[in-house]
Amino acid sequence: CPAGAGAGVVEVERSVTAVLGQDVVLPCRYRAQEREQVEQVTWLKRGPGGRSAEVAVLHRQHGQHVQEPYAGRVLRRADGALEDGAIVLRN
């Protein structure tokens, strides 16, 4: 996601290896600047032709919403602030 001047830094892995049938952690951490707070983290799956489909939305006040194809398979890795927006994709 784009960041404005003076904004923090989004840290993600360039590549994540998964084993078929096992859980995988998809890391995402935001290194906030002073007085910044993460309100929402949105996970998208990039498909053919570069089109993206929403997988999950993690919101500070409204909790977590997971799209139907991923219901029951997406969990937050850590409780608390959304600066750690990593998810676990089950099986």
Side-chain angles (χ1 to χ4, degrees), residues 2 4 7-8 10 28 32 35 42 45-48 54-55 58 69 80 83 91:
V10 176
C28 178
R35 294 189 298 265
T42 302
K45 179 180 180 182
R46 186 175 300 153
E54 186 177 285
V55 172
L58 313 176
E83 279 73 13
N91 194 11

Side-chain angles (χ1 to χ4, degrees), residues 33-52:
Q33 296 294 313
E34 189 176 345
R35 294 189 298 265
E36 281 187 315
Q37 184 173 359
V38 177
E39 292 290 322
Q40 178 175 303
V41 175
T42 302
W43 280 92
L44 303 171
K45 179 180 180 182
R46 186 175 300 153
R51 293 193 322 215
S52 295

